[in-house]
Amino acid sequence: MASDFTGLKVIWPPDGTRPPQHRHDIVFVHGLHHGSITDWKNKDGICWPAEHLSLDLSTARILAFGYDDKLSLRSDGLYEGGVTLKQARDLCFALKAQSRSDRGQVPLTFVGHGTGGIIIRCALCVSHTDPAKFESILRKTKHVMFLDSPQRDLTWRKWTEIAQGSSSVHSKGQWRIWSGALDGSSNIFDNIAPRFNITSISAGSIELPTTFEGGMGTTSTLSYDNALNVPSETRLVFGELDRQTISHLSRGTIDYRQFLGSIRSGMHRIIDDEKHITHIQTWLGRRLDDTNSDMYQKNLGKYHPGTGRWLFEHPKFRSWASSEVLSPILWLTGPEGCGKSVLCALGAERIRQRTGFPAVVYIMFAYDKPRSAYHIAAQLALQLLNHVVEVRGGVTAEVLSIVAEECEDSKKLSRVYDLIKVLISQCVVVHIFLDGLDEVGSVEGPRRRRSAQDTKIEASKEHLHSTFNLLADLANREEGTPVRLWCSSRETETIGRLMRDVKAQQIPIDGKDVVADIARYFDYHLPPIIDKANTNPSGTQLLDYLQKRVGDNFLLASILINDLGAKDLSTERGIQNIIHASPSSITEIYQQRLEEMGNSISPSMLLPWAIVSIIAFAKRPLKLSELREALTISLTSTKDSHTTNLTEDDLLSLKGRTIQRDCTPFIEFTQSRDDKIDGYLRLSHASVFYFLHGLSKGPVSNVEAIVVGPNLIANACLRYLSQTRYDSITWDYFQDHHFLTYAAKYWNQHIDEAMPDPELLQATGAFVHSPQFLTLLRVQSLFLDRQFVHAERANIPKIIDTESTTEHLADKYQSFVKEWSHALRLETSNSSSNAGIEECFWGALGKENFLHTHGLTIEKNSSFLLEMQTSDEKNSDDGTAPTYCFYDKISDDGSRVAVWRMPIQVEMLAFRPAMGLRHHICLAMNKRLTIQQQWRWIRSTYGGILSTGTQRVVGHRY
């Protein structure tokens, strides 16, 4: 074995490479008066970490860190009131460089002898306080082992034992440095200690409890300064070695076996308490998507026994689902209506029922539920978290490092990706099912504003691609937990290119297989309908005709079967009418149903039309309670641009199943799990979405009042937010206002997407100038997570700035959000109606800002903007208003602001010596004072050169 060295070096494998199955790093840091190799040599002169430990831990790489004893301390604000050793930062830099060459940091175990333990704890503190450089070190640390290392107060008596009895001046100086490093790191280290296992090892022939349970246990001679006394700590005693030889282990001894067992068990730490699990869910800022799980169950409910067998017998599927997979990514393709979503849900259920506890994640992408990259990642993480907690009993401690603190929104998505990787590492195998990839950003908006809509479509695709690429990388890697990725969609050019890039195996759905499955479906459902009607032999003719008519379209088959229940099958004529009138395509069915609804001109039929229109253009599935309020408010008259308040007596009486019946085949209702009355309403299929959005925005029937378009829901949102009860800005009881959060989140998008309507545009302008608009801001701040994350996205309609009378409202609103997003972005977990918009300096916006007037009534700290009234001030020469330069000075107690205003006529150069800066100070020519006299007057009046400003000088009254 080589001699001692400084720095970080691999001591096993001898050539410095990684083991064949490299899964762990063990870093040894020596104590005082020893070296990186000599401190770990036993009585036989063998460096036991390299020669012995490597035999018992074949998947671990052994490293040693050497340092000199010329100690120095740093105190650079890394952590409050603390100092850190230069050697600790050197260790961090060395580990970072090592991980860079390895292309990633593997889990870490640290072993520190004496003062080496202090260096390790200081290094972990540096990793915590400087995450931009060293976060991965703390995150990957699984276990820290202290061999006779002081943990609390490093007394002089303890130091003399470490320093082998030396009491020289140099030794006292060293003691102060080591003691300062230990004390300076205590607070931070106590905070991060629960994230990894800790083993405190002492020498002596005494018995100690195996684990510390909070202070109670048998008394021992293990001194307080050698133990942390934290729940994650385990205590060991080496009975065969003393303090001088505690690092000199030999393979086969009792002490070595204890050490080996501790390393093996310490590589894993499971966090199982409910408090930490809840913290992870809160940190994600999301909950499991109920509509996603509802669609999963609904698709399973559509499965008919005996169908779909061809898929699970397909060689490519069998290979994908097995351990000997040809490609970990499977792509199921087929035309619209052939049953892809049902097969996806069925495949997930088949995998879920296998032995070995495979993790199954199911994400359904839908035309009516856009998902951001963060939303997709959060749903993946939540489903994986539930599986890991259920199967493993808890999560690895590394998760705590990821979710320890809030971070910038721009970085949080990356942290969620890290969380997904860690959770996957705790699973035996992971199967991820992504259904409906072709429905992401697949619908274009109205042609008149196509460019803006196309931007949104491309953003949706980018959100999908970023997460998909992460999952594809995890699936294609050759090490770690196996990840299998299922994708199902139509075969489009964009998705085809994406799948080719990741080398996915494609299974195109064969129309013959679908036809055979539809035949089984008809054989099961059609005979009971025919028998019930006592039909003559023409029923067989009907069955043959329907099979030929639907071909390989399962959606068309299910619609026709459902429709037959309401038809007259009791006579030969009735059956012949069905045969001759049955549509041959989905579009024909939808158009036929529209004509039937249009021919029914009774007032009762106008309500289903309105429901179809609202649901078709909603941004997500609507709850029944939301739809009731939206429909009612859309039928309520307005007065002075405001809407009278909705009451429970005003609300329309609606039932989910009745709506589904009256609006078939366009709308389906899903009962809510926790509410026997409420539930979700959505379009029954993506084809309905495409059909309704493709209609002309004019009347679709001979009844002029019947229109399917985006304006109805736009008016509903605007009217709801304009209710008179919301003109009280401090009013904060929103519990039973079901449509409020939807309207608050999407109102501006609906206004922008509506067809041109002067009345709607006028009402929008009146709303943003009303006190109800500030109530909208309060609702967004309290209940809409991440609403103000992106300041560049103004949450008011962009179309209002196309009118000259609106005075650039969007720009003024956007500048307000940029300045005050920190106060508005409260997050739902810590929201309070007594904070948020009241903290903004509304007065400081100035009278020209449309938010100024109503904002003054609620601001917590009174504020103002010093503004000029220049409209009456004219220059005698050319009749124009003069240009001014301003100088301001704030009193020491902050209660007064002095402002000097001067017309700009002459420019001179001035210096501020104290700052070494050069400024242009604009001074006015005064007939009675020279420039020098004006300059002296400024200095005597304002106490020196004043900072230049503009016409917008902000002051605050406290």
Side-chain angles (χ1 to χ4, degrees):
M1 180 57 62
S3 58
D4 293 332
F5 53 83
T6 58
L8 186 68
K9 185 177 179 181
V10 177
I11 61 175
W12 191 90
D15 57 1
T17 60
R18 297 197 294 172
Q21 294 182 331
H22 182 209
R23 296 179 182 174
H24 210 83
D25 275 349
I26 305 175
V27 181
F28 287 81
V29 184
H30 63 85
L32 201 65
H33 302 311
H34 299 283
S36 54
I37 296 297
T38 55
D39 195 19
W40 310 106
K41 286 188 175 181
N42 58 23
K43 61 183 180 180
D44 298 323
I46 297 175
C47 181
W48 61 270
E51 304 294 336
H52 290 170
L53 197 61
S54 59
L55 299 177
D56 297 307
L57 300 172
S58 60
T59 60
R61 181 174 57 181
I62 315 296
L63 303 95
F65 178 74
Y67 58 93
D68 57 43
D69 59 1
K70 296 178 181 179
L71 298 180
S72 62
L73 290 174
R74 290 172 56 101
S75 182
D76 51 8
L78 286 179
Y79 41 91
E80 195 172 326
V83 292
T84 184
L85 292 169
K86 174 183 177 298
Q87 285 76 2
R89 291 186 68 84
D90 291 343
L91 175 56
C92 287
F93 277 113
L95 287 169
K96 183 178 180 180
Q98 186 71 52
S99 67
R100 227 179 357 244
S101 64
D102 294 340
R103 297 185 179 180
Q105 179 67 66
V106 296
L108 285 166
T109 291
F110 288 101
V111 182
H113 176 210
T115 53
I118 299 178
I119 290 178
I120 291 171
R121 61 185 288 147
C122 286
L124 292 174
C125 289
V126 170
S127 175
H128 173 74
T129 54
D130 196 359
K133 294 180 181 177
F134 308 120
E135 182 185 30
S136 63
I137 297 174
L138 177 58
R139 183 185 298 181
K140 290 297 185 179
T141 298
K142 303 295 184 183
H143 192 191
V144 179
M145 305 183 71
F146 296 109
L147 277 68
D148 198 35
S149 294
Q151 299 292 350
R152 296 298 179 186
D153 184 23
L154 181 55
T155 64
W156 174 251
R157 181 186 63 82
K158 176 64 178 176
W159 172 254
T160 56
E161 295 176 0
I162 294 175
Q164 300 178 356
S166 175
S167 59
S168 64
V169 174
H170 175 72
S171 181
K172 289 180 179 179
Q174 294 280 292
W175 167 56
R176 292 189 182 95
I177 293 177
W178 285 110
S179 179
L182 183 62
D183 294 341
S185 63
S186 292
N187 290 337
I188 295 295
F189 192 76
D190 288 348
N191 181 41
I192 64 177
R195 303 185 194 177
F196 42 81
N197 291 311
I198 297 174
T199 301
S200 297
I201 304 174
S202 181
S205 55
I206 57 174
E207 292 184 0
L208 283 172
T210 303
T211 58
F212 178 74
E213 299 293 348
M216 301 299 294
T218 57
T219 304
S220 72
T221 60
L222 183 62
S223 60
Y224 176 75
D225 56 4
N226 273 9
L228 280 170
N229 298 336
V230 294
S232 60
E233 181 182 22
T234 299
R235 299 179 183 179
L236 291 180
V237 176
F238 286 173
E240 301 171 328
L241 301 171
D242 56 28
R243 284 181 169 175
Q244 300 301 320
T245 61
I246 193 171
S247 61
H248 302 168
L249 295 174
S250 297
R251 192 172 188 232
T253 63
I254 296 176
D255 291 341
Y256 178 86
R257 288 198 294 269
Q258 282 193 90
F259 181 88
L260 179 61
S262 179
I263 278 199
R264 284 173 170 166
S265 61
M267 287 181 178
H268 307 282
R269 172 159 168 70
I270 299 299
I271 304 298
D272 57 0
D273 60 285
E274 187 176 348
K275 177 182 177 182
H276 282 108
I277 302 302
T278 302
H279 172 68
I280 298 169
Q281 296 167 336
T282 303
W283 179 85
L284 282 168
R286 294 286 190 277
R287 63 178 184 177
L288 280 174
D289 191 341
D290 289 340
T291 57
N292 186 74
S293 55
D294 288 341
M295 289 307 299
Y296 174 73
Q297 294 297 332
K298 190 160 190 172
N299 285 326
L300 282 179
K302 293 179 180 179
Y303 167 69
H304 177 72
T307 60
R309 292 176 181 173
W310 61 268
L311 172 64
F312 305 111
E313 295 172 357
H314 198 287
K316 289 184 178 179
F317 177 85
R318 295 170 67 90
S319 170
W320 176 82
S322 67
S323 58
E324 299 179 358
V325 61
L326 296 177
S327 173
I329 303 176
L330 192 68
W331 182 29
L332 181 70
T333 60
E336 183 180 85
C338 67
K340 298 183 296 295
S341 295
V342 174
L343 291 172
C344 179
L346 185 60
E349 190 66 16
R350 289 284 183 94
I351 297 295
R352 198 188 302 272
Q353 293 173 357
R354 287 188 169 189
T355 59
F357 303 104
V360 176
V361 176
Y362 175 87
I363 301 289
M364 182 174 185
F365 297 92
Y367 52 90
D368 60 350
K369 194 170 180 62
R371 299 176 184 269
S372 65
Y374 185 86
H375 182 91
I376 300 170
Q379 292 302 313
L380 286 166
L382 285 168
Q383 292 189 45
L384 287 169
L385 176 65
N386 284 357
H387 172 82
V388 170
V389 171
E390 179 182 354
V391 175
R392 297 290 187 182
V395 297
T396 180
E398 184 178 346
V399 171
L400 297 185
S401 296
I402 298 175
V403 304
E405 299 175 357
E406 289 296 333
C407 58
E408 297 178 10
D409 295 290
S410 59
K411 297 180 180 179
K412 192 163 186 177
L413 179 60
S414 176
R415 282 182 175 264
V416 177
Y417 286 164
D418 290 341
L419 177 61
I420 291 173
K421 294 175 185 177
V422 173
L423 292 173
I424 286 177
S425 70
Q426 286 193 261
C427 302
V428 177
V429 61
V430 178
H431 289 80
I432 299 174
F433 291 78
L434 305 179
D435 182 40
L437 297 182
D438 56 305
E439 295 186 21
V440 177
S442 58
V443 181
E444 295 183 355
R447 294 192 178 186
R448 62 184 181 86
R449 273 194 295 280
R450 187 172 176 180
S451 59
Q453 186 73 4
D454 284 349
T455 300
K456 194 177 298 182
I457 291 172
E458 291 305 317
S460 299
K461 291 180 179 179
E462 288 180 7
H463 291 320
L464 169 63
H465 288 185
S466 63
T467 305
F468 178 82
N469 289 334
L470 168 74
L471 299 177
D473 290 342
L474 293 173
N476 283 321
R477 67 180 181 178
E478 297 180 356
E479 55 186 21
T481 301
V483 176
R484 304 287 183 262
L485 185 59
W486 163 301
C487 304
S488 46
S489 71
R490 291 179 299 169
E491 186 174 1
T492 66
E493 181 180 351
T494 301
I495 298 178
R497 184 167 55 251
L498 186 67
M499 293 300 165
R500 288 191 295 273
D501 290 342
V502 297
K503 298 179 174 58
Q505 283 195 103
Q506 182 180 2
I507 300 182
I509 295 179
D510 191 332
K512 295 179 180 179
D513 292 325
V514 180
V515 169
D517 282 345
I518 290 176
R520 297 186 186 95
Y521 178 76
F522 277 150
D523 286 342
Y524 181 83
H525 288 282
L526 194 56
I529 297 176
I530 296 175
D531 293 343
K532 185 177 179 180
N534 296 319
T535 304
N536 53 37
S538 294
T540 304
Q541 181 185 2
L542 175 63
L543 175 60
D544 294 339
Y545 178 81
L546 289 178
Q547 288 179 341
K548 294 178 181 179
R549 178 60 62 94
V550 301
D552 58 357
N553 194 313
F554 233 121
L555 176 62
L556 180 59
S558 63
I559 291 177
L560 290 179
I561 286 293
N562 293 333
D563 198 40
L564 285 178
K567 301 293 184 180
D568 180 15
L569 301 178
S570 60
T571 64
E572 175 72 20
R573 182 177 181 181
I575 292 180
Q576 292 301 322
N577 287 338
I578 293 175
I579 291 176
H580 294 296
S582 293
S584 59
S585 68
I586 294 294
T587 302
E588 286 185 23
I589 287 183
Y590 296 154
Q591 189 62 49
Q592 187 181 87
R593 178 57 178 153
L594 283 180
E595 292 174 359
E596 291 174 359
M597 295 174 68
N599 292 331
S600 302
I601 59 175
S602 62
S604 62
M605 286 306 299
L606 296 179
L607 193 59
W609 273 103
I611 293 173
V612 169
S613 186
I614 287 178
I615 299 299
F617 288 89
K619 298 298 180 182
R620 60 164 174 79
L622 290 179
K623 285 187 175 182
L624 179 61
S625 54
E626 293 174 325
L627 178 64
R628 290 180 67 202
E629 294 187 353
L631 275 174
T632 303
I633 204 73
S634 65
L635 302 177
T636 303
S637 61
T638 60
K639 182 180 181 180
D640 298 329
S641 300
H642 297 302
T643 308
T644 56
N645 296 330
L646 281 182
T647 65
E648 186 65 29
D649 295 336
D650 298 328
L651 296 179
L652 296 170
S653 178
L654 300 176
K655 294 183 179 180
R657 299 301 177 192
T658 302
I659 292 175
Q660 180 171 290
R661 181 198 65 201
D662 293 342
C663 299
T664 187
F666 303 114
I667 292 176
E668 64 182 16
F669 174 74
T670 303
Q671 188 76 51
S672 180
R673 299 179 183 180
D674 52 357
D675 192 327
K676 295 182 179 180
I677 299 177
D678 209 356
Y680 287 94
L681 290 150
R682 62 182 298 167
L683 298 180
S684 59
H685 194 265
S687 58
V688 177
F689 182 90
Y690 303 143
F691 174 76
L692 293 177
H693 278 247
L695 293 175
S696 168
K697 299 306 182 287
V700 295
S701 78
N702 57 352
V703 182
E704 186 176 355
I706 296 180
V707 177
V708 175
N711 287 47
L712 185 60
I713 192 169
N715 275 292
C717 290
L718 188 59
R719 290 187 176 189
Y720 194 93
L721 296 172
S722 299
Q723 293 178 77
T724 55
R725 58 183 168 186
Y726 297 144
D727 63 6
S728 175
I729 304 172
T730 58
W731 195 82
D732 58 3
Y733 183 77
F734 305 119
Q735 182 176 354
D736 297 324
H737 300 200
H738 304 288
F739 192 59
L740 179 60
T741 53
Y742 178 92
K745 184 171 184 177
Y746 297 111
W747 77 283
N748 58 304
Q749 297 181 41
H750 286 303
I751 297 295
D752 277 333
E753 294 170 5
M755 299 299 293
D757 184 350
E759 292 185 5
L760 181 62
L761 185 60
Q762 182 180 2
T764 302
F767 170 68
V768 298
H769 285 91
S770 70
Q772 281 90 332
F773 186 74
L774 263 67
T775 301
L776 167 66
L777 292 181
R778 180 192 295 279
V779 173
Q780 291 175 333
S781 177
L782 293 176
F783 303 112
L784 300 182
D785 187 25
R786 303 172 67 84
Q787 182 74 9
F788 300 98
V789 168
H790 302 287
E792 69 276 8
R793 299 178 188 172
N795 296 316
I796 62 174
K798 297 179 178 62
I799 192 175
I800 62 174
D801 268 357
T802 61
E803 298 293 317
S804 58
T805 57
T806 57
E807 302 174 353
H808 303 290
L809 298 181
D811 291 340
K812 293 177 180 179
Y813 174 83
Q814 189 177 53
S815 63
F816 160 72
V817 172
K818 284 183 178 179
E819 184 172 1
W820 292 104
S821 61
H822 64 281
L824 299 170
R825 194 172 57 210
L826 291 177
E827 308 294 347
T828 55
S829 58
N830 59 0
S831 299
S832 170
S833 59
N834 297 320
I837 65 173
E838 291 86 353
E839 301 293 334
C840 303
F841 292 157
W842 298 98
L845 296 175
K847 295 180 181 179
E848 294 183 359
N849 194 300
F850 70 99
L851 298 169
H852 172 271
T853 302
H854 300 300
L856 283 177
T857 64
I858 63 169
E859 66 177 359
K860 183 178 180 181
N861 298 309
S862 182
S863 66
F864 60 92
L865 176 69
L866 298 177
E867 298 178 281
M868 287 180 55
Q869 299 294 337
T870 60
S871 58
D872 298 331
E873 300 186 31
K874 300 295 182 181
N875 187 293
S876 58
D877 295 334
D878 56 10
T880 60
T883 302
Y884 291 91
C885 193
F886 291 84
Y887 308 91
D888 65 276
K889 182 73 174 181
I890 301 176
S891 63
D892 292 339
D893 62 1
S895 63
R896 293 167 296 165
V897 179
V899 180
W900 184 45
R901 183 189 75 180
M902 298 184 66
I904 298 177
Q905 294 179 353
V906 177
E907 182 177 85
M908 67 170 289
L909 193 63
F911 292 87
R912 185 181 292 180
M915 297 289 292
L917 299 176
R918 195 164 154 174
H919 294 271
H920 283 81
I921 306 293
C922 301
L923 300 176
M925 288 295 292
N926 190 302
K927 294 180 180 179
R928 292 174 296 175
L929 294 176
T930 65
I931 293 294
Q932 291 77 9
Q933 288 173 327
Q934 292 183 60
W935 189 250
R936 286 195 296 271
W937 182 80
I938 295 172
R939 291 177 63 90
S940 63
T941 304
Y942 294 100
I945 300 175
L946 304 177
S947 60
T948 58
T950 66
Q951 292 190 19
R952 299 174 60 83
V953 182
V954 178
H956 315 293
R957 296 190 296 264
Y958 294 95

